[in-house]
Amino acid sequence: MPKPLKNLALAISLGTWASLTQAADANSWRDLEPLIARALPNAIALRHEIHRHPELSNREFHTSERIAKRLRELGLEVRTGIAHTGVIGLLKGGKPGPVVAIRAELDALPLTEATGLTYASTVRADHVGNDFRQQGKQVGVMHACGHDAHMAMALGVAEVLAAHRDELPGTLKLIFQPAEEGPPLGERGGAALMIEEGALENPKPAVIFGLHVTAGKAGAFTLSRNRTTAAADTFVARIRGRQTHAAFPWTGIDPVPVAAQVILAWQTIPSRQSNLSVLPAPVISVGRIEGGDRHNVIPAAVRLEGSIRTVSDEQREDVLARMRRTAEKIAEASGATAHVEYLPGNYRAGYNDSALVDRILPILERASGAPPTLDNGTYGADDFAEYARQVPAVFMRMGVAPPALAGKDVWPTHSPGFQVDDAALVTGIQALTRMTLDQMGVSVK
Ligand SMILES: [Zn+2]
Ligand SMILES: [Zn+2]
């Protein structure tokens, strides 16, 4: 036997075959940077195209087709039509290994874009949303939550990993879900329906990652070890009195001061009734007050609408019960009645897997060039929480404010001036690719 072969036989006999093959794997990914550099222009071009053609929740027909087409071009196995317009792409590596999932969202918001960008949206559509007052109106449509960036980054990761798919020890599962912003009135949709329709089965992911862009510093990550996003519930409260002349209020029951008392008393739930040493306080915001027709008529009723943010299932139940009790008892004190209704919500509180967070912190630092900021989570809500309740998950936020806007008032997400710095996409693709490879046991320098 020639000497090199003899050495090889010896190596195998010593049981080092596994480490030899692993070394070969790592070689395939040694050139990660050029692969990402090659994928970036495609990701940017796709984001611009999707940004120009935004679609509302559960109506993401063209977006979904476009994503499926790109996934097929990259050689992924594609499933469509999940939870209405959802798409799943599977990149099965040539070697056995874990399934790593990344979630991206398909939907845009009913906002008229005011960025002035060359690829700005001019799309208008019939409003779909969960507010009956808006139904049927024509509205501008805009990717104001950055979901176009999420789709582009997910496809960037797929392009990079598909380059050496034969060497990939595992499966990348890309989940493109509709209706993160909430399904239209009377419809279901979003993460919960995706899961119901099998998004986390066949194959079941070992972990799932969700990256959401924000108007923060481009390429800077923020995440939390445990609590990430809040539960969001919408309420409608109807306070009924008895209509009368404004000059003789004692002849009726005035619901206006009752509503005022209720609104102020609700604020004592966070400030006086919540144990702030255990959990962050809930947030109760009244966003709409409606009542009365004339200056000199005391109305029969006042209607309040608002949003409640809570940070755990227990706090959520507790706050809803306290709000109802507070409104009912205050109304009763004046001879009025109060009825508080909670509308079915799409968002429960979300949590990160702390061990997984610790695992990815150095990867985020490597991708971003700066250590990520750890915080206590956000009062923003995201239905990514539903996946995180099934599979170990990390939801992280990444700033994408264009550096040219530094020092100026930067428009936040959900505003008509929200902008994404194209160059920041590279940081997101870097981070997600490295996190995926890390889960598959491939070390990349
Ligand atoms: Zn949003
Ligand atoms: Zn969003």
Short mmCIF file of all heavy atoms in Angstrom, two decimals, residues 62-109:
data_model
loop_
_atom_site.label_atom_id
_atom_site.label_comp_id
_atom_site.label_asym_id
_atom_site.label_seq_id
_atom_site.Cartn_x
_atom_site.Cartn_y
_atom_site.Cartn_z
N HIS A 62 -49.48 37.77 -5.43
CA HIS A 62 -48.32 37.90 -6.33
C HIS A 62 -47.01 37.75 -5.58
O HIS A 62 -46.07 37.14 -6.09
CB HIS A 62 -48.38 39.24 -7.06
CG HIS A 62 -49.61 39.37 -7.92
ND1 HIS A 62 -49.83 38.54 -9.00
CD2 HIS A 62 -50.69 40.16 -7.81
CE1 HIS A 62 -51.00 38.84 -9.53
NE2 HIS A 62 -51.54 39.82 -8.84
N THR A 63 -46.98 38.30 -4.37
CA THR A 63 -45.76 38.18 -3.55
C THR A 63 -45.44 36.71 -3.33
O THR A 63 -44.30 36.27 -3.50
CB THR A 63 -45.98 38.88 -2.18
OG1 THR A 63 -46.50 40.18 -2.42
CG2 THR A 63 -44.70 38.97 -1.40
N SER A 64 -46.48 35.96 -2.98
CA SER A 64 -46.32 34.54 -2.72
C SER A 64 -45.82 33.79 -3.97
O SER A 64 -44.90 32.97 -3.89
CB SER A 64 -47.69 34.03 -2.25
OG SER A 64 -47.80 32.68 -2.37
N GLU A 65 -46.38 34.14 -5.13
CA GLU A 65 -45.92 33.52 -6.39
C GLU A 65 -44.47 33.86 -6.69
O GLU A 65 -43.69 33.02 -7.14
CB GLU A 65 -46.75 34.06 -7.57
CG GLU A 65 -47.93 33.18 -7.93
CD GLU A 65 -48.79 33.84 -9.00
OE1 GLU A 65 -48.24 34.54 -9.89
OE2 GLU A 65 -50.02 33.67 -8.93
N ARG A 66 -44.13 35.12 -6.43
CA ARG A 66 -42.77 35.59 -6.71
C ARG A 66 -41.76 34.84 -5.82
O ARG A 66 -40.69 34.43 -6.29
CB ARG A 66 -42.70 37.11 -6.45
CG ARG A 66 -41.39 37.74 -6.82
CD ARG A 66 -41.17 37.69 -8.33
NE ARG A 66 -39.83 38.09 -8.72
CZ ARG A 66 -38.79 37.26 -8.83
NH1 ARG A 66 -38.94 35.98 -8.56
NH2 ARG A 66 -37.61 37.71 -9.19
N ILE A 67 -42.12 34.68 -4.56
CA ILE A 67 -41.24 33.98 -3.62
C ILE A 67 -41.08 32.52 -4.06
O ILE A 67 -39.97 31.98 -4.10
CB ILE A 67 -41.83 34.04 -2.18
CG1 ILE A 67 -41.87 35.49 -1.68
CG2 ILE A 67 -41.05 33.14 -1.23
CD1 ILE A 67 -40.53 36.13 -1.41
N ALA A 68 -42.19 31.89 -4.39
CA ALA A 68 -42.15 30.47 -4.78
C ALA A 68 -41.27 30.30 -6.03
O ALA A 68 -40.48 29.36 -6.12
CB ALA A 68 -43.56 29.96 -5.05
N LYS A 69 -41.39 31.24 -6.96
CA LYS A 69 -40.60 31.17 -8.20
C LYS A 69 -39.10 31.25 -7.87
O LYS A 69 -38.30 30.45 -8.37
CB LYS A 69 -41.01 32.33 -9.12
CG LYS A 69 -40.27 32.39 -10.43
CD LYS A 69 -40.92 33.40 -11.39
CE LYS A 69 -40.08 33.57 -12.63
NZ LYS A 69 -39.28 34.79 -12.63
N ARG A 70 -38.76 32.17 -7.02
CA ARG A 70 -37.34 32.34 -6.66
C ARG A 70 -36.81 31.10 -5.91
O ARG A 70 -35.68 30.66 -6.15
CB ARG A 70 -37.18 33.60 -5.79
CG ARG A 70 -35.76 33.88 -5.35
CD ARG A 70 -34.86 34.23 -6.53
NE ARG A 70 -33.47 34.42 -6.12
CZ ARG A 70 -32.42 34.05 -6.83
NH1 ARG A 70 -32.60 33.46 -8.02
NH2 ARG A 70 -31.21 34.25 -6.40
N LEU A 71 -37.64 30.55 -5.03
CA LEU A 71 -37.21 29.36 -4.29
C LEU A 71 -36.95 28.20 -5.25
O LEU A 71 -35.98 27.46 -5.10
CB LEU A 71 -38.28 28.95 -3.27
CG LEU A 71 -38.46 29.89 -2.06
CD1 LEU A 71 -39.69 29.51 -1.26
CD2 LEU A 71 -37.22 29.89 -1.17
N ARG A 72 -37.81 28.07 -6.27
CA ARG A 72 -37.62 26.98 -7.26
C ARG A 72 -36.35 27.21 -8.06
O ARG A 72 -35.60 26.28 -8.33
CB ARG A 72 -38.84 26.89 -8.18
CG ARG A 72 -40.04 26.29 -7.47
CD ARG A 72 -41.18 25.93 -8.42
NE ARG A 72 -42.34 25.55 -7.63
CZ ARG A 72 -43.42 26.32 -7.44
NH1 ARG A 72 -43.50 27.51 -8.05
NH2 ARG A 72 -44.41 25.91 -6.67
N GLU A 73 -36.10 28.48 -8.45
CA GLU A 73 -34.86 28.81 -9.18
C GLU A 73 -33.63 28.38 -8.38
O GLU A 73 -32.63 27.97 -8.95
CB GLU A 73 -34.75 30.33 -9.39
CG GLU A 73 -35.56 30.87 -10.55
CD GLU A 73 -35.65 32.41 -10.51
OE1 GLU A 73 -34.89 33.06 -9.75
OE2 GLU A 73 -36.49 32.95 -11.24
N LEU A 74 -33.73 28.52 -7.07
CA LEU A 74 -32.58 28.17 -6.21
C LEU A 74 -32.53 26.68 -5.92
O LEU A 74 -31.66 26.21 -5.20
CB LEU A 74 -32.64 28.96 -4.90
CG LEU A 74 -32.41 30.48 -5.01
CD1 LEU A 74 -32.73 31.17 -3.70
CD2 LEU A 74 -30.98 30.77 -5.43
N GLY A 75 -33.51 25.93 -6.44
CA GLY A 75 -33.50 24.48 -6.29
C GLY A 75 -34.13 23.99 -5.00
O GLY A 75 -33.90 22.85 -4.59
N LEU A 76 -34.95 24.81 -4.37
CA LEU A 76 -35.61 24.37 -3.14
C LEU A 76 -36.90 23.64 -3.46
O LEU A 76 -37.52 23.87 -4.51
CB LEU A 76 -35.91 25.56 -2.22
CG LEU A 76 -34.76 25.98 -1.29
CD1 LEU A 76 -33.68 26.71 -2.06
CD2 LEU A 76 -35.27 26.83 -0.14
N GLU A 77 -37.30 22.77 -2.55
CA GLU A 77 -38.60 22.11 -2.63
C GLU A 77 -39.63 23.12 -2.11
O GLU A 77 -39.41 23.73 -1.07
CB GLU A 77 -38.54 20.93 -1.67
CG GLU A 77 -39.25 19.68 -2.10
CD GLU A 77 -39.00 18.59 -1.06
OE1 GLU A 77 -37.90 18.02 -1.06
OE2 GLU A 77 -39.92 18.35 -0.25
N VAL A 78 -40.74 23.30 -2.82
CA VAL A 78 -41.65 24.39 -2.46
C VAL A 78 -43.06 23.87 -2.18
O VAL A 78 -43.59 23.05 -2.95
CB VAL A 78 -41.69 25.44 -3.60
CG1 VAL A 78 -42.66 26.56 -3.26
CG2 VAL A 78 -40.31 26.01 -3.85
N ARG A 79 -43.65 24.35 -1.10
CA ARG A 79 -45.07 24.10 -0.81
C ARG A 79 -45.77 25.45 -0.79
O ARG A 79 -45.27 26.40 -0.19
CB ARG A 79 -45.23 23.48 0.58
CG ARG A 79 -45.21 21.96 0.61
CD ARG A 79 -45.22 21.47 2.04
NE ARG A 79 -46.47 21.76 2.71
CZ ARG A 79 -46.61 21.77 4.05
NH1 ARG A 79 -45.58 21.55 4.83
NH2 ARG A 79 -47.79 22.02 4.59
N THR A 80 -46.93 25.54 -1.43
CA THR A 80 -47.66 26.82 -1.45
C THR A 80 -49.06 26.63 -0.90
O THR A 80 -49.49 25.52 -0.62
CB THR A 80 -47.75 27.36 -2.89
OG1 THR A 80 -48.42 26.37 -3.68
CG2 THR A 80 -46.39 27.65 -3.50
N GLY A 81 -49.76 27.75 -0.75
CA GLY A 81 -51.16 27.70 -0.35
C GLY A 81 -51.39 27.33 1.12
O GLY A 81 -52.46 26.87 1.48
N ILE A 82 -50.39 27.55 1.95
CA ILE A 82 -50.56 27.26 3.38
C ILE A 82 -51.13 28.51 4.06
O ILE A 82 -50.61 29.61 3.84
CB ILE A 82 -49.21 26.87 4.02
CG1 ILE A 82 -48.58 25.76 3.19
CG2 ILE A 82 -49.37 26.44 5.47
CD1 ILE A 82 -47.10 25.88 3.09
N ALA A 83 -52.17 28.34 4.86
CA ALA A 83 -52.81 29.47 5.54
C ALA A 83 -53.12 30.58 4.52
O ALA A 83 -52.75 31.73 4.72
CB ALA A 83 -51.94 30.00 6.68
N HIS A 84 -53.75 30.22 3.43
CA HIS A 84 -54.11 31.09 2.30
C HIS A 84 -52.93 31.24 1.33
O HIS A 84 -52.88 30.57 0.33
CB HIS A 84 -54.61 32.47 2.75
CG HIS A 84 -55.77 32.40 3.70
ND1 HIS A 84 -56.97 31.84 3.36
CD2 HIS A 84 -55.89 32.81 4.98
CE1 HIS A 84 -57.79 31.90 4.38
NE2 HIS A 84 -57.16 32.48 5.39
N THR A 85 -51.98 32.14 1.65
CA THR A 85 -50.94 32.45 0.66
C THR A 85 -49.53 32.07 1.13
O THR A 85 -48.55 32.45 0.50
CB THR A 85 -50.94 33.96 0.34
OG1 THR A 85 -50.78 34.64 1.58
CG2 THR A 85 -52.22 34.40 -0.32
N GLY A 86 -49.42 31.34 2.22
CA GLY A 86 -48.10 31.00 2.78
C GLY A 86 -47.30 30.09 1.87
O GLY A 86 -47.85 29.30 1.10
N VAL A 87 -45.98 30.23 1.95
CA VAL A 87 -45.06 29.43 1.13
C VAL A 87 -43.99 28.85 2.04
O VAL A 87 -43.48 29.55 2.92
CB VAL A 87 -44.35 30.31 0.07
CG1 VAL A 87 -43.42 29.48 -0.80
CG2 VAL A 87 -45.36 31.05 -0.79
N ILE A 88 -43.65 27.60 1.80
CA ILE A 88 -42.53 27.00 2.54
C ILE A 88 -41.51 26.48 1.54
O ILE A 88 -41.85 25.83 0.56
CB ILE A 88 -43.03 25.87 3.46
CG1 ILE A 88 -43.80 26.49 4.63
CG2 ILE A 88 -41.85 25.03 4.00
CD1 ILE A 88 -44.36 25.53 5.61
N GLY A 89 -40.25 26.82 1.79
CA GLY A 89 -39.16 26.34 0.95
C GLY A 89 -38.26 25.45 1.78
O GLY A 89 -37.89 25.80 2.89
N LEU A 90 -37.92 24.28 1.21
CA LEU A 90 -37.02 23.35 1.90
C LEU A 90 -35.75 23.19 1.10
O LEU A 90 -35.79 22.81 -0.07
CB LEU A 90 -37.67 21.98 2.02
CG LEU A 90 -38.67 21.70 3.14
CD1 LEU A 90 -39.06 20.23 3.11
CD2 LEU A 90 -38.12 22.09 4.50
N LEU A 91 -34.63 23.49 1.74
CA LEU A 91 -33.33 23.22 1.12
C LEU A 91 -32.74 22.02 1.85
O LEU A 91 -32.24 22.15 2.97
CB LEU A 91 -32.40 24.44 1.26
CG LEU A 91 -31.00 24.24 0.68
CD1 LEU A 91 -31.04 24.16 -0.84
CD2 LEU A 91 -30.07 25.37 1.11
N LYS A 92 -32.87 20.85 1.21
CA LYS A 92 -32.38 19.64 1.85
C LYS A 92 -30.91 19.47 1.51
O LYS A 92 -30.55 19.33 0.35
CB LYS A 92 -33.18 18.44 1.36
CG LYS A 92 -34.59 18.40 1.92
CD LYS A 92 -35.34 17.16 1.47
CE LYS A 92 -36.71 17.11 2.13
NZ LYS A 92 -37.66 16.27 1.38
N GLY A 93 -30.08 19.49 2.53
CA GLY A 93 -28.65 19.33 2.32
C GLY A 93 -28.32 17.90 1.93
O GLY A 93 -29.11 16.99 2.14
N GLY A 94 -27.12 17.73 1.37
CA GLY A 94 -26.69 16.40 0.94
C GLY A 94 -26.30 15.50 2.09
O GLY A 94 -26.02 14.31 1.88
N LYS A 95 -26.23 16.04 3.29
CA LYS A 95 -25.82 15.24 4.44
C LYS A 95 -26.86 15.35 5.54
O LYS A 95 -27.57 16.35 5.60
CB LYS A 95 -24.47 15.73 4.94
CG LYS A 95 -23.42 15.63 3.85
CD LYS A 95 -22.04 15.86 4.32
CE LYS A 95 -21.08 15.45 3.21
NZ LYS A 95 -19.74 15.89 3.43
N PRO A 96 -26.92 14.33 6.38
CA PRO A 96 -27.92 14.40 7.44
C PRO A 96 -27.58 15.47 8.47
O PRO A 96 -26.40 15.76 8.68
CB PRO A 96 -27.86 13.00 8.07
CG PRO A 96 -26.51 12.47 7.71
CD PRO A 96 -26.13 13.10 6.41
N GLY A 97 -28.60 16.02 9.09
CA GLY A 97 -28.38 17.06 10.09
C GLY A 97 -29.70 17.69 10.49
O GLY A 97 -30.75 17.29 9.99
N PRO A 98 -29.65 18.67 11.38
CA PRO A 98 -30.88 19.25 11.92
C PRO A 98 -31.63 20.13 10.90
O PRO A 98 -31.06 20.58 9.91
CB PRO A 98 -30.38 20.10 13.09
CG PRO A 98 -28.97 20.43 12.74
CD PRO A 98 -28.44 19.26 11.97
N VAL A 99 -32.90 20.34 11.21
CA VAL A 99 -33.73 21.24 10.40
C VAL A 99 -33.73 22.61 11.09
O VAL A 99 -34.09 22.72 12.26
CB VAL A 99 -35.17 20.71 10.29
CG1 VAL A 99 -36.03 21.67 9.46
CG2 VAL A 99 -35.18 19.31 9.71
N VAL A 100 -33.30 23.63 10.37
CA VAL A 100 -33.26 24.98 10.92
C VAL A 100 -34.25 25.83 10.15
O VAL A 100 -34.19 25.89 8.92
CB VAL A 100 -31.84 25.57 10.80
CG1 VAL A 100 -31.80 26.99 11.34
CG2 VAL A 100 -30.83 24.69 11.54
N ALA A 101 -35.17 26.47 10.88
CA ALA A 101 -36.21 27.27 10.21
C ALA A 101 -35.96 28.76 10.38
O ALA A 101 -35.43 29.21 11.41
CB ALA A 101 -37.58 26.90 10.76
N ILE A 102 -36.33 29.50 9.34
CA ILE A 102 -36.30 30.97 9.39
C ILE A 102 -37.68 31.44 8.96
O ILE A 102 -38.22 30.97 7.96
CB ILE A 102 -35.22 31.55 8.45
CG1 ILE A 102 -33.82 31.13 8.94
CG2 ILE A 102 -35.32 33.07 8.37
CD1 ILE A 102 -32.69 31.48 7.99
N ARG A 103 -38.27 32.38 9.72
CA ARG A 103 -39.59 32.89 9.37
C ARG A 103 -39.46 34.27 8.71
O ARG A 103 -38.69 35.11 9.16
CB ARG A 103 -40.43 33.03 10.66
CG ARG A 103 -41.92 33.33 10.47
CD ARG A 103 -42.29 34.73 10.04
NE ARG A 103 -41.89 35.77 10.96
CZ ARG A 103 -42.72 36.44 11.77
NH1 ARG A 103 -44.00 36.19 11.75
NH2 ARG A 103 -42.26 37.38 12.56
N ALA A 104 -40.19 34.48 7.62
CA ALA A 104 -40.32 35.81 7.01
C ALA A 104 -41.80 36.04 6.74
O ALA A 104 -42.57 35.08 6.63
CB ALA A 104 -39.52 35.87 5.71
N GLU A 105 -42.23 37.30 6.65
CA GLU A 105 -43.63 37.62 6.45
C GLU A 105 -43.84 38.21 5.06
O GLU A 105 -42.96 38.87 4.50
CB GLU A 105 -44.13 38.64 7.50
CG GLU A 105 -43.67 38.38 8.91
CD GLU A 105 -42.33 39.06 9.22
OE1 GLU A 105 -41.39 38.91 8.42
OE2 GLU A 105 -42.25 39.74 10.24
N LEU A 106 -45.06 37.99 4.55
CA LEU A 106 -45.37 38.40 3.17
C LEU A 106 -46.12 39.73 3.07
O LEU A 106 -46.12 40.36 2.03
CB LEU A 106 -46.26 37.32 2.52
CG LEU A 106 -45.68 35.91 2.36
CD1 LEU A 106 -46.80 34.92 2.06
CD2 LEU A 106 -44.64 35.89 1.25
N ASP A 107 -46.78 40.14 4.15
CA ASP A 107 -47.77 41.22 4.00
C ASP A 107 -47.23 42.63 4.24
O ASP A 107 -46.25 42.85 4.92
CB ASP A 107 -48.99 40.97 4.91
CG ASP A 107 -48.64 40.80 6.38
OD1 ASP A 107 -47.49 40.43 6.69
OD2 ASP A 107 -49.52 41.03 7.22
N ALA A 108 -47.96 43.59 3.64
CA ALA A 108 -47.66 45.02 3.77
C ALA A 108 -48.79 45.69 4.54
O ALA A 108 -49.73 45.02 5.00
CB ALA A 108 -47.49 45.63 2.39
N LEU A 109 -48.72 47.02 4.67
CA LEU A 109 -49.68 47.76 5.50
C LEU A 109 -50.50 48.76 4.68
O LEU A 109 -50.02 49.26 3.65
CB LEU A 109 -48.92 48.53 6.58
CG LEU A 109 -48.38 47.70 7.75
CD1 LEU A 109 -47.26 48.45 8.46
CD2 LEU A 109 -49.51 47.37 8.72
#
